[in-house]
Amino acid sequence: MSDRVTRRALLFGSGALALTLIAGCGRGRFDAEPTESLPIGDRDETLLSFFDGTTLSRGRLDQIASDPESFTARLTGTYRNVRLRLREAFRFSDGEPLQIWDLSADREGTISGTVSTEAENGAMSQAFPVSGWATQDRLVLDYDGIAPGGGATRLHFHHSMTRQGDGTVENRVTISKFYLPLATSTVTFFKPK
């Protein structure tokens, strides 16, 4: 079975839900909202500002009953007035789907915005609402949408990003359906040298 068929069949198709139900897994909430609000001004920016300009990433997708899949991405962002517009071009072994993000933070660090994702047929999805919160060193995003390069199955995505001491940002992603985890991904974002 090719990587394309494996990823789409197990993660983005109906087979993933059946495997998850058999495994009996549950999905929990991993990140509580910050206990203190973060006033955002000229000097206090959220982790959204990390994605201004060019950012690169490398990651791994781990799925139930399937081999892990590595991927990379190139992100091009514009961050102005606590608003991030970001184009994320993935590179999987079977294609290079896009995601387009439009995210804003209010003065307390509450995130709102949208994400649109390129499906396996090459069409961009509708803009799905995104919510979350941010501080200078943390960014948490939640949304229901489709997987990059996947089919039409709507999934839930939970991103938990943390700034690292080496200047990178680590992102742990949980992908679920009906509160049941189907896959996880660990991604490292870094600036090109």
Side-chain angles (χ1 to χ4, degrees), residues 8-164:
R8 299 232 169 92
L10 291 178
L11 180 57
F12 310 128
S14 59
L17 182 56
L19 287 173
T20 302
L21 291 172
I22 291 168
C25 298
R27 181 184 137 218
R29 178 78 183 197
F30 299 111
D31 299 290
E33 294 204 17
T35 56
E36 298 178 17
S37 63
L38 173 72
I40 299 171
D42 293 336
R43 295 174 51 195
D44 293 326
E45 298 294 346
T46 70
L47 193 53
L48 284 178
S49 64
F50 176 86
F51 297 97
D52 190 39
T54 299
T55 306
L56 304 175
S57 73
R58 61 181 170 272
R60 187 175 108 168
L61 179 65
D62 293 299
Q63 307 165 75
I64 295 172
S66 182
D67 291 332
E69 180 178 5
S70 295
F71 62 91
T72 61
R74 181 178 189 88
L75 300 86
T76 307
T78 303
Y79 181 78
R80 301 287 181 274
N81 301 317
V82 294
R83 182 177 184 184
L84 175 67
R85 293 181 182 197
L86 186 70
R87 180 181 188 271
E88 186 172 14
F90 289 94
R91 178 170 285 181
F92 289 101
S93 60
D94 61 354
E96 299 181 10
L98 297 175
Q99 263 190 328
I100 307 296
W101 299 85
D102 188 354
L103 303 172
S104 296
D106 68 14
R107 293 197 57 79
E108 286 74 42
T110 302
I111 300 290
S112 61
T114 61
V115 63
S116 183
T117 307
E118 185 177 8
E120 66 184 331
N121 64 5
M124 293 301 288
S125 73
Q126 70 186 57
F128 292 102
V130 177
S131 63
W133 57 267
T135 65
Q136 291 176 331
D137 297 316
R138 295 288 314 279
L139 176 59
V140 173
L141 301 174
D142 274 297
Y143 65 95
D144 291 332
I146 65 169
T153 301
R154 189 182 275 194
L155 303 167
H156 182 79
F157 295 83
H158 178 81
H159 294 253
S160 181
M161 299 177 217
T162 306
R163 188 185 306 269
Q164 304 298 298

